[in-house]
Amino acid sequence: MDIPRATLPKALDIPQMYLRQPTADVPAYKPMIVPPADLERPEEVEAEETTEQPEPPTLKIPVIDIKMPIPETAVVVTAVTTAVIAVTTTTITQSLFEPIKKKVQKQLQAKVNKWKEKRKKESSTKSKTE
């Protein structure tokens, strides 16, 4: 007896994926050593000399006998730069917006004048009909 056999296509060759096991990056830090509150220097060690900061330069005003502190160079440069930028910006924008402002004012004035004329005509026609 002949038993029919089915011819099946070959199976697809699917490559197997290998996943690596996850790893964690544990943060590390240098431990900070905090000295105790009652820490004193040993007797054989000399104390360091502390250097005091010099007084800021001052300007003496002779008439009223006041000493005014002179600001640092960085502060003066920042203030001057800011002032120059502010003045420049204002000057430029004023010259740009002045013509626009004039045109808008003319258009608005024309509209207001038309509205006034229309209102006068309406009031004059109402007074004639009464």
Side-chain angles (χ1 to χ4, degrees):
M1 174 157 116
D2 266 342
I3 298 178
R5 294 192 175 232
T7 52
L8 298 174
K10 291 187 176 181
L12 293 174
D13 184 28
I14 300 174
Q16 188 173 7
M17 295 181 64
Y18 293 100
L19 297 175
R20 293 183 301 154
Q21 195 170 20
T23 59
D25 293 331
V26 179
Y29 64 95
K30 282 186 170 182
M32 185 171 62
I33 300 170
V34 179
D38 60 345
L39 184 67
E40 295 179 6
R41 75 177 157 84
E43 293 176 3
E44 60 267 1
V45 177
E46 293 181 16
E48 291 183 15
E49 293 181 26
T50 56
T51 57
E52 295 181 16
Q53 291 185 352
E55 289 187 29
T58 56
L59 177 66
K60 185 176 180 182
I61 302 174
V63 176
I64 50 179
D65 291 330
I66 294 179
K67 289 187 175 181
M68 291 288 291
I70 299 174
E72 295 179 14
T73 307
V75 173
V76 173
V77 168
T78 304
V80 168
T81 305
T82 305
V84 167
I85 290 172
V87 169
T88 305
T89 304
T90 305
T91 306
I92 290 173
T93 54
Q94 186 177 6
S95 65
L96 290 175
F97 286 111
E98 193 67 30
I100 296 171
K101 179 181 159 190
K102 286 181 181 180
K103 287 181 182 180
V104 168
Q105 277 183 330
K106 283 182 183 179
Q107 289 177 353
L108 286 175
Q109 191 62 44
K111 298 258 185 195
V112 168
N113 290 342
K114 284 183 182 179
W115 177 75
K116 285 181 180 178
E117 288 177 15
K118 186 177 179 183
R119 195 165 179 202
K120 281 184 183 179
K121 286 181 183 178
E122 288 176 0
S123 65
S124 64
T125 55
K126 283 183 184 179
S127 63
K128 287 181 182 179
T129 56
E130 292 177 357

